[in-house]
């Protein structure tokens, strides 16, 4: 069956699309740029369905194309089946396009990401985020700038659907280089999933605070020879405890992606410029590094963790780790542990008195690569997958009736094949607000979600973004120094020499230009604060 996309956003939004495109000049001079070819009247719809949501808009679909999109994570077992359905029922009939999704694994995405964008392989769309090289790759010129006319023309449905704050949060100095997700969640707040069966069996400390969580890890480490479980089986690619440490000390990020913190003390008030610190130069970071060295000395994680590339979630799910620290994804890890019959989990709010902010829309986003052969076709593909409800749910959760089904209330029921295509396993960058809730949700998940809602706060400076271009050389040099030292401090590698290593770290940061970088950040923040009367 060929999907027509009639559910894409409904008649009201379709009307809005026509008005938007008319307002930005939806004519041959704009739309016929697709494929770089034009017919006599500047458009060619003959290769797509007459009821395609993109028919009659002046686009040229005469050439069939393949758009390559890169995502993060492990490729789902049923990815090929989902793509076959998406292509045959959506992309091919309605855009004359085939979508190919490739994956950068957690174990090596850090080394491959930039190389992929600078190399010769085809990349049209790619996952990015405030934590996943967005700022770096914008500075490197790897992402296409998306001005308002471009978005209105080639991403008409998405442009209208996303809230204004989403576009503001993804902007750098007013310019947009990626399309954010449509659902802001508590991804920046971390909790801990632990082995409740081991707590009960060995009468371990209940990890309901930062100090008690550390005690739990230390006690479990002493039992490793008996249990075969590493207290916190971590790896070289995931820094598990720094966010918890920041929550314990009510340290809040000023904006996404740049490591500038202030002590919020649960207040929504925008910080004074003099209260902002660069994370790695602060006394807080020194305290954190010393605490990590202490945990490492007690065997909380493997002494070889710095060389480990196995994802920490995998360790918890296969029963060899006593804890996993992350956002609400910890509930999935706990569920997988129990389904495998390897233990019983419980989720603990380790910093229960700290208020929490939702992660920005920019936490997950999609960029169009500057080197994309046809960025306009890529934009239309992205628009379609984000705005058509049926297509979106297919990519997000698999085939309805095979991987999931909806009950009479519209809630999602997980089916036996769901393990071959887990819901929201990779497509976080195309999340929508109307994503169906899970039916019969575990009480532990409901409790965790309710607590986040109850403790939500919105810092006044939300929406501030930083433009690193005036200090690009210093910024790049500082990032290079941070990447050299960061994980070693997170894993306590320096042991008793941690303080001297911190001094060495600070000197390297100063030589790289951290003071100039910080001064520019404070300057831009101060201007934003004054302009918005904060």
């Amino acid at each position: 069956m060929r999907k027509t996309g009639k559910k894409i956003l409904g008649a009201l939004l379709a009307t809005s699309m026509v008005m938007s495109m008319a307002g930005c000049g939806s004519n041959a001079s704009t739309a016929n740029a697709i494929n770089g070819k034009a017919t006599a009247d500047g458009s060619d719809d003959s290769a797509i369905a007459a009821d395609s949501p993109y028919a009659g808009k002046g686009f040229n679909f005469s050439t069939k194309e393949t758009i390559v999109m890169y995502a993060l994570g492990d490729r789902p077992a049923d990815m090929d089946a989902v793509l076959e359905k998406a292509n045959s029922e959506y992309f091919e009939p309605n855009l004359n396009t085939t979508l190919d999704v490739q994956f950068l694994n957690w174990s090596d995405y850090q080394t491959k990401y930039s190389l992929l964008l600078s190399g010769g392989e085809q990349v049209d769309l790619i996952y990015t985020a405030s934590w996943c090289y967005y700022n770096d790759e914008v500075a490197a010129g790897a992402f296409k700038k998306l001005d308002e006319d471009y978005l209105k023309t080639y991403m008409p449905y998405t442009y209208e659907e996303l809230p204004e704050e989403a576009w503001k949060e993804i902007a750098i100095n007013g310019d947009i280089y990626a399309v954010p997700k449509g659902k802001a969640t508590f991804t920046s707040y971390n909790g801990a999933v632990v082995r409740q069966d081991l707590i009960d069996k060995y009468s371990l400390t209940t990890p309901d605070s930062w100090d008690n969580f550390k005690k739990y890890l230390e006690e479990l480490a002493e039992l490793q020879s008996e249990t075969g479980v590493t207290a916190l089986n971590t790896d070289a690619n995931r820094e598990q405890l720094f966010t918890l440490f920041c929550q314990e000390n009510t340290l809040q990020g000023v904006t996404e992606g740049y490591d500038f913190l202030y002590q919020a003390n649960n207040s929504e008030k925008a910080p004074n410029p003099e209260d902002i610190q660069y994370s790695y130069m602060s006394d807080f970071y020194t305290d954190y590094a010393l605490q990590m060295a202490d945990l490492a000395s007690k065997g909380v994680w493997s002494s070889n963790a710095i060389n480990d590339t196995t994802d920490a979630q995998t360790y918890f799910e296969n029963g060899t780790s006593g804890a996993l620290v992350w956002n609400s994804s910890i509930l999935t890890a706990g569920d997988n542990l129990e389904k495998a019959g390897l233990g019983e989990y419980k989720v603990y709010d380790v910093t229960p008195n700290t208020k929490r902010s939702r992660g920005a829309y920019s936490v997950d986003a999609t960029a169009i690569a500057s080197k994309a052969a046809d960025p306009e076709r890529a934009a239309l593909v992205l628009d379609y997958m984000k705005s058509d409800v049926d297509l979106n749910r297919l990519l997000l959760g698999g085939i309805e009736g095979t991987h999931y089904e909806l009950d009479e209330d519209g809630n999602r029921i997980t089916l036996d094949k769901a393990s071959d295509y887990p819901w929201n396993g990779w497509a976080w960058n195309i999340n929508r607000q109307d994503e169906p809730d899970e039916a019969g949700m575990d009480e532990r998940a409901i409790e965790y979600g309710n607590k986040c809602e109850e403790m939500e706060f919105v810092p006044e400076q939300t929406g501030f973004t930083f433009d690193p271009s005036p200090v690009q050389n210093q910024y790049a040099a500082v990032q290079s120094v941070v990447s050299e030292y960061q994980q070693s401090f997170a894993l306590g590698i320096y042991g008793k020499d941690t303080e001297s290593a911190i001094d060495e770290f600070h000197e390297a940061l100063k030589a790289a230009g951290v003071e100039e970088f910080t001064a520019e950040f404070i300057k831009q923040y101060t201007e934003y604060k004054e302009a918005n009367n904060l």
Side-chain angles (χ1 to χ4, degrees), residues 18 21-28 30-31 57-59 153:
V18 173
M21 295 188 69
C24 67
S26 176
N27 52 33
T30 301
K57 308 303 181 187
F59 297 128
T153 302

Side-chain angles (χ1 to χ4, degrees), residues 182-229:
K183 184 178 183 179
T185 57
F186 293 97
T187 52
S188 59
Y189 188 83
N190 283 5
V193 60
V194 303
R195 290 286 299 276
Q196 186 63 39
D197 55 313
L198 298 181
I199 291 176
D200 295 340
K201 181 176 181 179
Y202 295 102
S203 300
L204 304 178
T205 297
T206 300
D208 53 4
S209 69
W210 171 249
D211 288 337
N212 284 343
F213 180 60
K214 290 191 294 180
K215 287 179 183 178
Y216 162 74
L217 295 177
E218 292 167 5
E219 292 167 358
L220 194 54
E222 293 177 357
L223 296 169
Q224 184 171 355
S225 60
E226 181 177 348
T227 64
V229 173

Side-chain angles (χ1 to χ4, degrees), residues 404-433:
Y404 77 95
E405 63 183 13
L406 300 178
D407 64 19
E408 59 184 12
D409 296 320
N411 295 318
R412 172 172 49 88
I413 299 172
T414 299
L415 302 180
D416 292 341
K417 285 278 287 178
S419 59
D420 292 330
Y421 201 93
W423 187 274
N424 208 20
W426 65 270
W428 326 292
N429 47 331
I430 61 171
N431 276 134
R432 293 172 51 88
Q433 283 288 359

Side-chain angles (χ1 to χ4, degrees), residues 436-491:
D437 292 327
E438 183 178 0
M441 188 179 294
D442 192 300
E443 287 298 323
R444 291 166 291 192
I446 294 173
E447 181 181 357
Y448 185 87
N450 288 343
K451 182 64 183 296
C452 285
E453 295 280 354
E454 292 167 7
M455 295 292 285
E456 181 178 5
F457 84 132
V458 181
E460 284 183 339
Q461 79 281 0
T462 297
F464 166 66
T465 57
F466 174 64
D467 174 17
S469 59
V471 285
Q472 185 54 47
N473 292 337
Q474 294 93 330
Y475 171 60
V478 165
Q479 289 296 96
S480 178
V481 173
V482 170
S483 65
E484 180 182 350
Y485 285 88
Q486 178 184 21
Q487 206 61 21
S488 293
F489 285 123
L491 296 174

Side-chain angles (χ1 to χ4, degrees), residues 317-334:
E317 292 177 349
N318 67 22
T320 59
S321 182
L324 173 69
V325 176
W326 204 9
N327 53 40
S328 57
S329 298
I330 54 179
L331 294 157
T332 300

Side-chain angles (χ1 to χ4, degrees), residues 189 208-210 248 349-356 451 455:
Y189 188 83
D208 53 4
S209 69
W210 171 249
E248 170 66 11
D349 187 350
V350 178
T351 56
N353 298 318
T354 299
K355 289 193 174 181
R356 56 220 61 177
K451 182 64 183 296
M455 295 292 285

Side-chain angles (χ1 to χ4, degrees), residues 103-119:
F103 286 80
L104 292 171
N105 295 331
W106 290 116
S107 61
D108 57 11
Y109 83 94
Q110 292 174 311
T111 57
K112 289 184 177 181
Y113 194 94
S114 291
L115 292 175
L116 181 68
L117 287 166
S118 61

